[in-house]
Amino acid sequence: MFEKVLIANRGEIALRVLRACRELGVRTAVVYSTADADSAAVRLADEAVRIGPAASRRSYLNAAAIVEAARQVGAQAVHPGYGFLSEDADFAEICADNGLTFIGPPPEVMAVLADKSSARALMRRAGLPLPPGSVAPVPSAAAAAEVAAEVGYPVIVKAAAGGGGRGMTVVATPAELPRAYARTRAAAQAAFGDDRVYVERYLTDARHVEVQLLCDSHGNGVHLGTRDCSVQRRHQKLVEEAPAPALSAGTGEAIAECALRGALHAGFTGAGTVEFLVDGEERFHFLEINCRIQVEHPVTEMITGIDLVHEQLHIAAGVPLRWRQEDVRPHGVAIECRVNVEDPDRGFAPTPGRLDRFTPPGGPFTRVDTHGHAGYLFGPHYDSLLAKVAVWAPDRELALNRLERALDEFDVAGPGVRTTIPFVRRVLDDAGFRKGRYTTGLVEQLLAGPPDAHHRRHR
């Protein structure tokens, strides 16, 4: 095992990794920007290195500064968390060139999987089903129109280098396609420095189901079951649960088996997630592979009892996988919601500000991952995630009730600060959601309808 790990992230995930390292007897160092000088991670780490100002590109996206910090503190490995440089193959290669272990897949594997077109081609060779559409990037609006005419509308235009819900446009009619194609290419170039896009059929009334994997560098791999992440706003998840509800056991096992086969075919190592779209007839289609720990990993930990960050550290240190597939025995139901500092009534616009009150919930089988505290200044510089509230119960109905109870207890307030808690309560009240019969269109449906009395009462 490593003697010291540098944590190249911030917020709740920096704390999550720091705690896992502590539990394994590994010393920690964190990097931080000037905006995070008073953060909990900086206070709790064995060492902390300031790497730049608040702007991400000059701090948490500054690969040279992070590597220099790791060398300065004598770290053997770098944990990137999620977001920022966590799926940047160039950063992983820079780490390797400087004698640092990047806690994630090899750079060459990350490079292939980060490119959606090459990942689709690789997964097709592994036998995974893909949505109808182009595998290679489409070079022109005319070529995009040919693909769309073949697969049928609606279609979605996606950036080959996209991620995090960015770089995609849904197109309902042929008349919209030329402009959408040009707009998506321009947005992809601005966001990713790569304007290549591909076109595939947009599956309406589909569910977003993903599979958690652990793979080592010795050719071993296990899946840890499914998660449903269909409750999304702007392709960003709000509520996640494990296992995926209202999915037949046969389909769930088939999705998990496909995910593991695809990851092993790609040479994946570490903790990763394979994402699928599942239609109303339980036909499933590969979306992408995430080469990092996911925000929603706690729900898998709660139903399996497996600490995913511990496993990341063991795998990166070269230890053979400590689990066989028959050892993985999911039990019960876990549901997580993200508490973002956003105003759902204004298009989920961020509402930064100082937290005058901050009391997270407690109680049995209730987990809160957060970096917030009373007096914390939630700034405008980074993403709006404040906390994750996850609960476990033997069955889904009790898990839903437990999450509602936890959200009732969560007290967070400050001048101008709004959170997504009232909107999550609307999700939990939805009849289709309560039955486990919901799709990626749920958030739009709720936004289009009037706020219910429950929502008004908790604003």
Side-chain angles (χ1 to χ4, degrees):
M1 181 50 70
F2 308 109
E3 293 182 7
K4 184 182 293 184
V5 168
L6 181 89
I7 302 167
N9 215 299
R10 63 173 302 279
E12 68 87 12
I13 190 60
L15 279 174
R16 172 73 184 88
V17 175
L18 186 154
R19 288 165 172 153
C21 289
R22 282 277 180 86
E23 290 162 3
L24 295 178
V26 176
R27 291 179 60 80
T28 58
V30 299
V31 296
Y32 67 95
S33 73
T34 53
D36 286 330
D38 296 326
S39 68
V42 169
R43 293 199 310 271
L44 293 175
D46 296 301
E47 297 175 75
V49 181
R50 188 176 67 188
I51 54 170
S56 297
R57 69 182 184 279
R58 297 177 61 190
S59 53
Y60 298 107
L61 292 174
N62 187 339
I66 292 170
V67 169
E68 178 56 34
R71 297 177 65 179
Q72 177 183 325
V73 300
Q76 292 86 43
V78 175
H79 196 302
Y82 54 69
F84 294 128
L85 296 173
S86 63
E87 294 184 282
D88 190 309
D90 292 336
F91 177 61
E93 188 169 0
I94 292 170
C95 287
D97 290 344
N98 283 271
L100 297 166
T101 297
F102 177 84
I103 299 178
E108 61 274 15
V109 173
M110 291 178 66
V112 171
L113 296 178
D115 184 293
K116 300 300 185 288
S117 291
S118 62
R120 283 163 58 85
L122 183 64
M123 291 303 104
R124 185 170 68 172
R125 291 195 295 273
L128 274 66
L130 304 181
S134 62
V135 175
V138 288
S140 66
E146 289 180 9
V147 174
E150 181 180 344
V151 303
Y153 287 85
V155 297
I156 185 166
V157 183
K158 290 185 175 181
R166 298 178 298 165
M168 57 182 72
T169 306
V170 177
V171 183
T173 66
E176 300 172 29
L177 184 57
R179 185 176 179 183
Y181 175 85
R183 188 169 65 247
T184 308
R185 284 193 69 168
Q189 180 63 42
F192 311 113
D194 184 341
D195 70 351
R196 295 173 305 131
V197 298
Y198 62 95
V199 177
E200 65 185 25
R201 178 68 188 268
Y202 181 68
L203 302 177
T204 57
D205 297 324
R207 298 167 60 187
H208 184 131
V209 175
E210 61 188 31
V211 178
Q212 178 68 58
L213 305 172
L214 292 171
C215 301
D216 65 19
S217 56
H218 306 279
N220 305 305
V222 295
H223 69 77
L224 276 61
T226 59
R227 296 190 290 253
D228 193 301
C229 306
S230 300
V231 182
Q232 304 177 7
R233 56 101 174 96
R234 297 195 302 271
H235 305 287
Q236 295 285 319
K237 302 161 187 171
L238 284 174
V239 179
E240 305 100 349
E241 59 180 301
L247 195 66
S248 70
T251 299
E253 187 59 36
I255 292 174
E257 189 276 332
C258 272
L260 184 56
R261 183 171 74 247
L264 292 174
H265 180 76
F268 184 89
T269 60
T273 303
V274 185
E275 302 189 353
F276 296 87
L277 282 178
V278 183
D279 66 20
E281 298 180 8
E282 295 199 350
R283 291 173 298 207
F284 56 92
H285 308 271
F286 168 79
L287 272 183
E288 63 181 4
I289 297 184
N290 292 301
C291 299
R292 54 174 167 79
I293 195 75
Q294 292 278 87
V295 177
E296 61 270 20
H297 74 272
V299 291
T300 296
E301 293 183 327
M302 294 177 89
I303 67 167
T304 63
I306 296 174
D307 189 308
L308 294 177
V309 182
H310 282 191
E311 298 308 315
Q312 281 189 299
L313 292 163
H314 286 298
I315 291 168
V319 177
L321 197 61
R322 304 188 304 161
W323 302 89
R324 299 170 300 174
Q325 192 61 60
E326 56 266 31
D327 298 327
V328 181
R329 299 177 180 177
H331 174 60
V333 173
I335 307 176
E336 172 186 287
C337 73
R338 304 188 190 189
V339 177
N340 298 332
V341 178
E342 297 172 346
D343 187 351
D345 294 335
R346 294 194 297 116
F348 293 94
T351 59
R354 188 174 299 280
L355 306 182
D356 290 342
R357 302 200 312 270
F358 186 83
T359 306
F365 305 107
T366 302
R367 167 175 169 175
V368 181
D369 288 22
T370 184
H371 56 296
H373 56 82
Y376 178 67
L377 178 61
F378 199 102
H381 310 292
Y382 310 111
D383 69 75
S384 57
L385 179 64
L386 172 63
K388 303 180 312 196
V389 180
V391 300
W392 178 92
D395 59 73
R396 189 169 184 268
E397 184 64 25
L398 181 54
L400 290 170
N401 293 343
R402 183 161 281 155
L403 183 56
E404 287 186 319
R405 184 270 303 161
L407 293 179
D408 278 345
E409 293 181 15
F410 207 143
D411 181 26
V412 53
V417 172
R418 299 289 183 271
T419 76
T420 49
I421 289 176
F423 189 82
V424 170
R425 296 192 63 93
R426 293 184 66 190
V427 171
L428 299 181
D429 283 345
D430 180 78
F433 183 83
R434 299 294 297 198
K435 295 175 182 176
R437 304 283 182 182
Y438 59 98
T439 71
T440 54
L442 176 60
V443 168
E444 288 187 6
Q445 294 167 15
L446 292 175
L447 289 174
D452 57 20
H454 204 80
H455 173 56
R456 290 192 297 270
R457 187 169 65 250
H458 287 273
R459 286 187 61 170

